[in-house]
Amino acid sequence: MIVQIILIIAAYLIGSLSTAIITCKLLGLPDPRTQGSGNPGATNVLRSGGKKAAIITLVGDLLKGLLPVLIAQAFELSGLALALVALAAFLGHLFPAYHGFKGGKGVATGLGVLLGLHWAVGVAALVTWLLAAGISRISSMGALVAATLTPIWIALTLGDFWLTMTGCVMMILLYWRHWGNIQRILAGTEPKIGAKGR
């Protein structure tokens, strides 16, 4: 039980590290929270800091979700305990302890979590995102469709109730963090991929 609690807390603290803020600070770029959409994520960093900073942010955010889950897997955690570690890493990104509990939208970190649970789940989510984003030409649409189908991919691949429930919670949180995007999609004003967006 003690090991499980330590891993859950560690997952949250790792998730709380803002790759976007750290990357921009190290590269001498403006704080992403003061630029563009104000979201500390790879997409906003791309707009304000360029491809290099965005790629570093994307990889860092993905690793924040991947590593805690892989470590939990190495300790042979399963079921509810593994689900809590996965969720803690994801919540750390959304509500970082080091940055006033104001974090990013969770797409890259969520993908890292899914890859950690099972590579097939992560690949399925990524392919879903690419297809939906490619067809709609709206990045946020890809994320929302992928989030919607994630619990199904988890259930089909892992067949675990608690991990499937974690996928459902992540889906709900992603919808909440993308509420502004959803409203713009419905209004037909959400920026297309390649266009200057928000």
Side-chain angles (χ1 to χ4, degrees), residues 1-16 63-93 109 112-114 116-117 162-163 166 170:
M1 178 64 76
I2 294 178
V3 171
Q4 295 175 358
I5 293 174
I6 291 174
L7 289 175
I8 292 170
I9 294 174
Y12 171 73
L13 294 177
I14 292 172
S16 289
L63 290 175
K64 290 193 310 181
L66 175 64
L67 294 179
V69 177
L70 289 182
I71 293 171
Q73 299 265 35
F75 277 90
E76 299 184 346
L77 267 60
S78 61
L80 178 59
L82 179 59
L84 289 175
V85 168
L87 188 58
F90 184 70
L91 290 174
H93 179 76
T109 301
V113 166
L114 298 179
L117 292 177
W162 291 113
L163 294 178
T166 295
M170 290 171 61

Side-chain angles (χ1 to χ4, degrees), residues 118-132:
H118 196 290
W119 67 268
V121 176
V123 170
L126 178 59
V127 170
T128 302
W129 182 89
L130 291 173
L131 287 175

Side-chain angles (χ1 to χ4, degrees), residues 19-46:
T19 311
I21 296 174
I22 294 172
T23 298
C24 288
K25 186 172 184 179
L26 290 176
L27 296 180
L29 299 170
D31 189 321
R33 294 170 296 181
T34 65
Q35 305 294 313
S37 66
N39 179 58
T43 301
N44 195 39
V45 170
L46 174 63

Side-chain angles (χ1 to χ4, degrees), residues 77 108 137 162 172 179 198:
L77 267 60
R137 294 187 59 240
W162 291 113
I172 293 170
W179 184 243
R198 303 174 194 179

